[in-house]
Amino acid sequence: MVRDVIYKEPTGVPRNREQVLNLFNSFDKDGDGMLSKEEVKEAFRKLGSHWGGFRARRALRHADANRDGLISTEEINDLANYTLKCGYTLK
């Protein structure tokens, strides 16, 4: 008997969008105003993602408009939109 396993991301929506933006900005470890894939990955882990690397790759595809592999200050709103759409909440 084969069972289908369905993984569901955490649900719920943060009450304050600014919290999501502040969380991502806090992971800008080198202070260059850009978020690398590794920084985005760590932020998703903080949000409770079991697969931070997968979620970071998906987020970069969604939010990295100029395809430079980084999330800039101009692109961070798209990153927040993606995060909220996935249903992540802050712990």
Side-chain angles (χ1 to χ4, degrees), residues 43-67:
F44 274 108
R45 284 190 177 148
K46 176 72 175 181
L47 287 167
S49 177
H50 296 288
W51 297 304
F54 167 78
R55 191 55 64 199
R57 283 189 304 278
R58 296 286 304 245
L60 281 167
R61 275 191 230 134
H62 180 81
D64 184 14
N66 63 3
R67 302 292 182 235

Side-chain angles (χ1 to χ4, degrees), residues 14-67:
R15 296 191 186 278
N16 186 342
R17 178 184 173 78
E18 282 299 309
Q19 289 176 316
V20 173
L21 292 171
N22 288 338
L23 174 83
F24 280 112
N25 284 323
S26 74
F27 278 87
D28 180 15
K29 301 300 182 194
D30 55 9
D32 64 355
M34 308 283 268
L35 292 171
S36 67
K37 178 182 165 190
E38 191 61 33
E39 291 167 332
V40 173
K41 177 177 154 181
E42 292 302 315
F44 274 108
R45 284 190 177 148
K46 176 72 175 181
L47 287 167
S49 177
H50 296 288
W51 297 304
F54 167 78
R55 191 55 64 199
R57 283 189 304 278
R58 296 286 304 245
L60 281 167
R61 275 191 230 134
H62 180 81
D64 184 14
N66 63 3
R67 302 292 182 235

